[in-house]
Amino acid sequence: MAAHNQAFTDQPERLNDRHNLLISVKLRRSGENWFNARLANLSPTGFRVQSFAKLEMDSLIWVMLPGFDARRAKVIWTRDHESGCQFERPLHPAIFDHILRMNRMRARQES
């Protein structure tokens, strides 16, 4: 199981430009139930999440992006009900592009 943790980098550097968005996701802490949250930005390597639940720094969580299986991420920083997280493995470019495209389409429909 320790091999999974090796995918996370030791430095919480921002490896990619983040795109601002607002999408609903499901989050789960280890051993707990899923709960609703919102992504405020996204990059292939991580995201900023807003939720009613306070996440602990360095904890591992699961995030379920709309239309995709759950992915593991590590909480890099936290401030009140907002946290920055790093994916265990970066998103595939096609998945990243699809999520951004769906967010743009949803925003157009709501305006």
Side-chain angles (χ1 to χ4, degrees), residues 58-107:
D58 295 326
S59 64
L60 297 179
I61 61 169
W62 291 89
V63 58
M64 192 175 303
L65 299 165
F68 296 97
D69 291 335
R71 300 179 163 274
R72 202 158 83 155
K74 181 178 181 179
V75 178
I76 302 300
W77 62 264
T78 187
R79 182 175 52 245
D80 297 324
H81 293 278
E82 192 168 62
S83 300
C85 305
Q86 177 187 14
F87 289 118
E88 179 179 33
R89 291 183 185 87
L91 293 176
H92 186 279
I95 291 173
F96 180 68
D97 290 343
H98 175 78
I99 293 168
L100 293 181
R101 193 168 45 255
M102 292 296 106
N103 183 67
R104 282 193 299 270
M105 288 173 52
R106 182 190 52 77

Side-chain angles (χ1 to χ4, degrees), residues 22-37:
L22 272 179
I23 58 172
S24 295
V25 297
K26 298 263 187 205
L27 284 186
R28 183 173 71 80
R29 293 181 281 205
S30 186
E32 295 184 15
N33 293 324
W34 291 98
F35 57 90
N36 294 322

Side-chain angles (χ1 to χ4, degrees), residues 33-45:
N33 293 324
W34 291 98
F35 57 90
N36 294 322
R38 291 187 321 179
L39 290 193
N41 67 31
L42 179 70
S43 79
T45 58

